[in-house]
Amino acid sequence: MKSEETPFVGGPLDGRALPVLLGPTGHPPKVYRVPVPDDAGGAPTILVYRRVPAGPARRFGLHPGWKYEYDAGGDGGGGGFRDLKWPWSKPGPGRTAGTDGADAGGADAGGADAGGAPETGPGGGRGAGA
């Protein structure tokens, strides 16, 4: 695998440049987590660094590489596959961010859609027992 010497800014690794493995696109990971073992033998402390451009964009909008900046309040989340924002998960009219399209009370609390008409299913509006 290919690696690249990447500088670290801030935190305990300030001023160091460590070899970081590159992904299939040739970029280092967006979030770099460094486990630091505990002296007492407990759970290791995780230092979180986030990838940022190493300098301002030059000609043609290309930046000179990447560096990692220390995220003091970093919980290690972010930058992963689970944090992707899909187009169909954006909040629409009448929805709030963080819902999956269903209201807290079920399909609709009043049993009617936004136009006020009763909901009809595949049975043409009849219930299961009718």
Side-chain angles (χ1 to χ4, degrees), residues 41-113:
T45 303
I46 306 293
L47 302 176
V48 179
Y49 286 85
R50 302 212 181 266
R51 183 185 74 183
V52 295
R58 291 184 265 157
R59 192 171 183 180
F60 304 119
L62 300 173
H63 57 85
W66 301 101
K67 67 180 178 181
Y68 282 105
E69 288 186 353
Y70 180 63
D71 186 4
D75 58 353
F81 178 73
R82 301 277 180 213
D83 295 328
L84 290 175
K85 303 298 181 198
W86 301 102
W88 53 84
S89 64
K90 291 183 181 178
R95 294 187 194 165
T96 58
T99 61
D100 60 351
D103 292 336
D108 275 329
D113 63 2

